PDB file of all heavy atoms in Angstrom:
ATOM      1  N   PRO A 328     -30.962  23.368 -11.551  1.00 81.00           N
ATOM      2  CA  PRO A 328     -29.698  23.707 -10.880  1.00 81.00           C
ATOM      3  C   PRO A 328     -29.923  24.254  -9.474  1.00 81.00           C
ATOM      4  O   PRO A 328     -30.980  24.817  -9.165  1.00 81.00           O
ATOM      5  CB  PRO A 328     -29.086  24.777 -11.805  1.00 81.00           C
ATOM      6  CG  PRO A 328     -29.796  24.640 -13.110  1.00 81.00           C
ATOM      7  CD  PRO A 328     -31.161  24.136 -12.786  1.00 81.00           C
ATOM      8  N   SER A 329     -28.897  24.118  -8.643  1.00 82.00           N
ATOM      9  CA  SER A 329     -29.002  24.569  -7.251  1.00 82.00           C
ATOM     10  C   SER A 329     -29.246  26.064  -7.144  1.00 82.00           C
ATOM     11  O   SER A 329     -29.981  26.518  -6.259  1.00 82.00           O
ATOM     12  CB  SER A 329     -27.719  24.204  -6.485  1.00 82.00           C
ATOM     13  OG  SER A 329     -27.539  22.809  -6.431  1.00 82.00           O
ATOM     14  N   PHE A 330     -28.640  26.836  -8.056  1.00 82.00           N
ATOM     15  CA  PHE A 330     -28.789  28.284  -7.932  1.00 82.00           C
ATOM     16  C   PHE A 330     -30.218  28.735  -8.210  1.00 82.00           C
ATOM     17  O   PHE A 330     -30.679  29.758  -7.680  1.00 82.00           O
ATOM     18  CB  PHE A 330     -27.798  29.019  -8.831  1.00 82.00           C
ATOM     19  CG  PHE A 330     -28.077  28.925 -10.300  1.00 82.00           C
ATOM     20  CD1 PHE A 330     -28.889  29.852 -10.926  1.00 82.00           C
ATOM     21  CD2 PHE A 330     -27.502  27.919 -11.066  1.00 82.00           C
ATOM     22  CE1 PHE A 330     -29.142  29.781 -12.288  1.00 82.00           C
ATOM     23  CE2 PHE A 330     -27.742  27.836 -12.427  1.00 82.00           C
ATOM     24  CZ  PHE A 330     -28.564  28.763 -13.037  1.00 82.00           C
ATOM     25  N   LEU A 331     -30.974  27.975  -9.039  1.00 85.00           N
ATOM     26  CA  LEU A 331     -32.377  28.320  -9.261  1.00 85.00           C
ATOM     27  C   LEU A 331     -33.203  28.029  -8.012  1.00 85.00           C
ATOM     28  O   LEU A 331     -34.119  28.799  -7.663  1.00 85.00           O
ATOM     29  CB  LEU A 331     -32.926  27.554 -10.458  1.00 85.00           C
ATOM     30  CG  LEU A 331     -32.427  28.003 -11.833  1.00 85.00           C
ATOM     31  CD1 LEU A 331     -33.102  27.202 -12.941  1.00 85.00           C
ATOM     32  CD2 LEU A 331     -32.677  29.493 -12.032  1.00 85.00           C
ATOM     33  N   PHE A 332     -32.882  26.922  -7.342  1.00 85.00           N
ATOM     34  CA  PHE A 332     -33.534  26.654  -6.061  1.00 85.00           C
ATOM     35  C   PHE A 332     -33.203  27.764  -5.062  1.00 85.00           C
ATOM     36  O   PHE A 332     -34.052  28.177  -4.269  1.00 85.00           O
ATOM     37  CB  PHE A 332     -33.077  25.303  -5.501  1.00 85.00           C
ATOM     38  CG  PHE A 332     -33.756  24.121  -6.134  1.00 85.00           C
ATOM     39  CD1 PHE A 332     -33.032  23.178  -6.827  1.00 85.00           C
ATOM     40  CD2 PHE A 332     -35.125  23.951  -6.004  1.00 85.00           C
ATOM     41  CE1 PHE A 332     -33.656  22.077  -7.404  1.00 85.00           C
ATOM     42  CE2 PHE A 332     -35.769  22.855  -6.585  1.00 85.00           C
ATOM     43  CZ  PHE A 332     -35.029  21.920  -7.287  1.00 85.00           C
ATOM     44  N   ALA A 333     -31.964  28.235  -5.097  1.00 85.00           N
ATOM     45  CA  ALA A 333     -31.549  29.293  -4.180  1.00 85.00           C
ATOM     46  C   ALA A 333     -32.370  30.556  -4.417  1.00 85.00           C
ATOM     47  O   ALA A 333     -32.839  31.188  -3.458  1.00 85.00           O
ATOM     48  CB  ALA A 333     -30.057  29.583  -4.352  1.00 85.00           C
ATOM     49  N   VAL A 334     -32.546  30.927  -5.672  1.00 86.00           N
ATOM     50  CA  VAL A 334     -33.336  32.118  -5.991  1.00 86.00           C
ATOM     51  C   VAL A 334     -34.786  31.928  -5.536  1.00 86.00           C
ATOM     52  O   VAL A 334     -35.402  32.846  -4.964  1.00 86.00           O
ATOM     53  CB  VAL A 334     -33.276  32.420  -7.499  1.00 86.00           C
ATOM     54  CG1 VAL A 334     -34.224  33.551  -7.867  1.00 86.00           C
ATOM     55  CG2 VAL A 334     -31.855  32.762  -7.921  1.00 86.00           C
ATOM     56  N   ALA A 335     -35.334  30.735  -5.768  1.00 87.00           N
ATOM     57  CA  ALA A 335     -36.713  30.466  -5.349  1.00 87.00           C
ATOM     58  C   ALA A 335     -36.853  30.545  -3.832  1.00 87.00           C
ATOM     59  O   ALA A 335     -37.842  31.084  -3.313  1.00 87.00           O
ATOM     60  CB  ALA A 335     -37.152  29.095  -5.851  1.00 87.00           C
ATOM     61  N   LEU A 336     -35.873  30.026  -3.106  1.00 87.00           N
ATOM     62  CA  LEU A 336     -35.924  30.074  -1.641  1.00 87.00           C
ATOM     63  C   LEU A 336     -35.847  31.514  -1.129  1.00 87.00           C
ATOM     64  O   LEU A 336     -36.498  31.864  -0.142  1.00 87.00           O
ATOM     65  CB  LEU A 336     -34.784  29.241  -1.060  1.00 87.00           C
ATOM     66  CG  LEU A 336     -34.897  27.730  -1.241  1.00 87.00           C
ATOM     67  CD1 LEU A 336     -33.638  27.039  -0.747  1.00 87.00           C
ATOM     68  CD2 LEU A 336     -36.111  27.185  -0.500  1.00 87.00           C
ATOM     69  N   ILE A 337     -35.036  32.331  -1.793  1.00 88.00           N
ATOM     70  CA  ILE A 337     -34.944  33.744  -1.402  1.00 88.00           C
ATOM     71  C   ILE A 337     -36.282  34.438  -1.617  1.00 88.00           C
ATOM     72  O   ILE A 337     -36.762  35.191  -0.751  1.00 88.00           O
ATOM     73  CB  ILE A 337     -33.829  34.446  -2.201  1.00 88.00           C
ATOM     74  CG1 ILE A 337     -32.448  33.957  -1.734  1.00 88.00           C
ATOM     75  CG2 ILE A 337     -33.923  35.960  -2.041  1.00 88.00           C
ATOM     76  CD1 ILE A 337     -31.310  34.496  -2.552  1.00 88.00           C
ATOM     77  N   VAL A 338     -36.889  34.188  -2.763  1.00 87.00           N
ATOM     78  CA  VAL A 338     -38.178  34.813  -3.063  1.00 87.00           C
ATOM     79  C   VAL A 338     -39.238  34.385  -2.055  1.00 87.00           C
ATOM     80  O   VAL A 338     -40.067  35.193  -1.601  1.00 87.00           O
ATOM     81  CB  VAL A 338     -38.612  34.460  -4.500  1.00 87.00           C
ATOM     82  CG1 VAL A 338     -40.047  34.939  -4.767  1.00 87.00           C
ATOM     83  CG2 VAL A 338     -37.662  35.080  -5.513  1.00 87.00           C
ATOM     84  N   LEU A 339     -39.201  33.113  -1.670  1.00 87.00           N
ATOM     85  CA  LEU A 339     -40.237  32.582  -0.784  1.00 87.00           C
ATOM     86  C   LEU A 339     -40.001  32.903   0.684  1.00 87.00           C
ATOM     87  O   LEU A 339     -40.929  33.281   1.407  1.00 87.00           O
ATOM     88  CB  LEU A 339     -40.348  31.063  -0.966  1.00 87.00           C
ATOM     89  CG  LEU A 339     -40.908  30.565  -2.299  1.00 87.00           C
ATOM     90  CD1 LEU A 339     -40.810  29.053  -2.382  1.00 87.00           C
ATOM     91  CD2 LEU A 339     -42.360  31.011  -2.465  1.00 87.00           C
ATOM     92  N   PHE A 340     -38.738  32.760   1.138  1.00 85.00           N
ATOM     93  CA  PHE A 340     -38.501  32.753   2.584  1.00 85.00           C
ATOM     94  C   PHE A 340     -37.522  33.812   3.086  1.00 85.00           C
ATOM     95  O   PHE A 340     -37.267  33.874   4.283  1.00 85.00           O
ATOM     96  CB  PHE A 340     -37.975  31.374   3.010  1.00 85.00           C
ATOM     97  CG  PHE A 340     -38.894  30.248   2.662  1.00 85.00           C
ATOM     98  CD1 PHE A 340     -38.515  29.300   1.726  1.00 85.00           C
ATOM     99  CD2 PHE A 340     -40.142  30.132   3.269  1.00 85.00           C
ATOM    100  CE1 PHE A 340     -39.365  28.243   1.412  1.00 85.00           C
ATOM    101  CE2 PHE A 340     -40.991  29.096   2.957  1.00 85.00           C
ATOM    102  CZ  PHE A 340     -40.609  28.143   2.020  1.00 85.00           C
ATOM    103  N   ALA A 341     -36.929  34.605   2.218  1.00 81.00           N
ATOM    104  CA  ALA A 341     -35.923  35.573   2.666  1.00 81.00           C
ATOM    105  C   ALA A 341     -36.320  37.000   2.331  1.00 81.00           C
ATOM    106  O   ALA A 341     -35.478  37.831   2.010  1.00 81.00           O
ATOM    107  CB  ALA A 341     -34.559  35.237   2.059  1.00 81.00           C
ATOM    108  N   GLY A 342     -37.613  37.281   2.367  1.00 74.00           N
ATOM    109  CA  GLY A 342     -38.075  38.648   2.152  1.00 74.00           C
ATOM    110  C   GLY A 342     -38.216  39.037   0.709  1.00 74.00           C
ATOM    111  O   GLY A 342     -38.374  40.231   0.405  1.00 74.00           O
ATOM    112  N   GLY A 343     -38.150  38.047  -0.209  1.00 67.00           N
ATOM    113  CA  GLY A 343     -38.274  38.379  -1.620  1.00 67.00           C
ATOM    114  C   GLY A 343     -39.656  38.889  -1.973  1.00 67.00           C
ATOM    115  O   GLY A 343     -39.839  40.024  -2.393  1.00 67.00           O
TER     116      GLY A 343
END
Side-chain angles (χ1 to χ4, degrees):
S329 297
F330 71 89
L331 288 183
F332 281 118
V334 173
L336 290 174
I337 289 175
V338 172
L339 291 174
F340 302 114

